[in-house]
Amino acid sequence: MLNSAALLSCFDPGLGTIAGVVPVKRCLSDLRGCFADATAYEQARAAGNPVIYTVAGVEPGGGEGDLHYGVGLIRPGRVGAEYFMTKGHLHAWRAAAEVYIGLSGRGVMLLEDEVTGESRTAPLEPHRVVYVPGGTAHRTMNTGDAPLTYVGIYPAKAGHDYGAIARNNFRCVVVERDGRPVMVERNQL
Ligand code: PAN
Ligand code: ZN
């Protein structure tokens, strides 16, 4: 039977919300270990525990061919030179790809091939679609001075594996240099 609540949702591209969906909130304390500059992180924590990003997820079904999607909002800001970011993850089902569509603001996605470690960035902003292939760790950063909002669409059975990132982190970080985002190796910061 067609469930109309699952067939149609109404999102606000500015607020990064979906009508009737309670978003998950991630605060600075949830991002412990993500930022390379531990001193800057502790200084920021001493000053407070702001919400860094929210994700409103829609999960209509868990069947073989189903899709899930979420609308995310990342606030603007930095910890040291590193932009506010998501935790980042691999999909538990490694083959699962994902499509990100920029809605408002300006950001960058950090993509890392799990097997080769090859890293690259892709701009995420309005009129841009970023295709995240399977087996690719992905993290999103707000590189602008307004909220970044986007939608991410992925197979229902993708699952989220945060463990590998928590253990090894991403090889690279994206930092602000001369007002622009630059990708550098974590151990060369
Ligand atoms: C997105 C992410 C969202 C938040 O919907 O879940 O950007 O990032 P973290 O999950 O890393 O906290 C997605 O990639 N789903 O698969
Ligand atoms: Zn994902």
Side-chain angles (χ1 to χ4, degrees):
M1 194 173 70
L2 295 176
N3 174 343
S4 57
L7 284 177
L8 182 67
S9 71
C10 187
F11 67 88
D12 185 316
L15 298 176
T17 53
I18 300 179
V21 177
V22 178
V24 173
K25 284 186 186 166
R26 298 285 182 221
C27 299
L28 189 57
S29 58
D30 297 311
L31 293 170
R32 176 166 292 281
C34 292
F35 294 94
D37 186 342
T39 307
Y41 176 80
E42 294 306 340
Q43 278 171 359
R45 278 294 286 117
N49 191 23
V51 173
I52 305 297
Y53 65 98
T54 59
V55 186
V58 178
E59 304 186 347
E64 186 73 8
D66 282 327
L67 297 173
H68 287 175
Y69 61 94
V71 171
L73 177 145
I74 308 176
R75 293 190 170 167
R78 276 181 286 148
V79 169
E82 297 165 85
Y83 299 98
F84 281 3
M85 63 173 80
T86 59
K87 290 168 81 158
H89 59 268
L90 284 147
H91 292 146
W93 177 40
R94 291 294 196 265
E98 181 162 2
V99 164
Y100 274 71
I101 303 165
L103 299 177
S104 71
R106 208 154 34 106
V108 162
M109 293 193 73
L110 177 60
L111 307 175
E112 180 179 310
D113 184 294
E114 184 184 24
V115 175
T116 65
E118 186 193 349
S119 299
R120 58 166 299 176
T121 58
L124 182 66
E125 52 197 41
H127 309 289
R128 299 252 195 188
V129 176
V130 178
Y131 183 82
V132 180
T136 306
H138 44 291
R139 167 175 278 168
T140 309
M141 283 135 292
N142 184 342
T143 58
D145 45 25
L148 169 71
T149 66
Y150 55 91
V151 58
I153 307 165
Y154 48 97
K157 66 176 201 174
H160 293 86
D161 176 1
Y162 294 99
I165 300 303
R167 281 189 298 280
N168 307 320
N169 221 321
F170 284 72
R171 285 192 181 192
C172 293
V173 297
V174 178
V175 294
E176 194 259 3
R177 290 217 175 131
D178 300 324
R180 296 170 56 171
V182 177
M183 184 177 80
V184 292
E185 297 255 346
R186 175 174 298 271
N187 58 18
Q188 287 175 8
L189 201 63

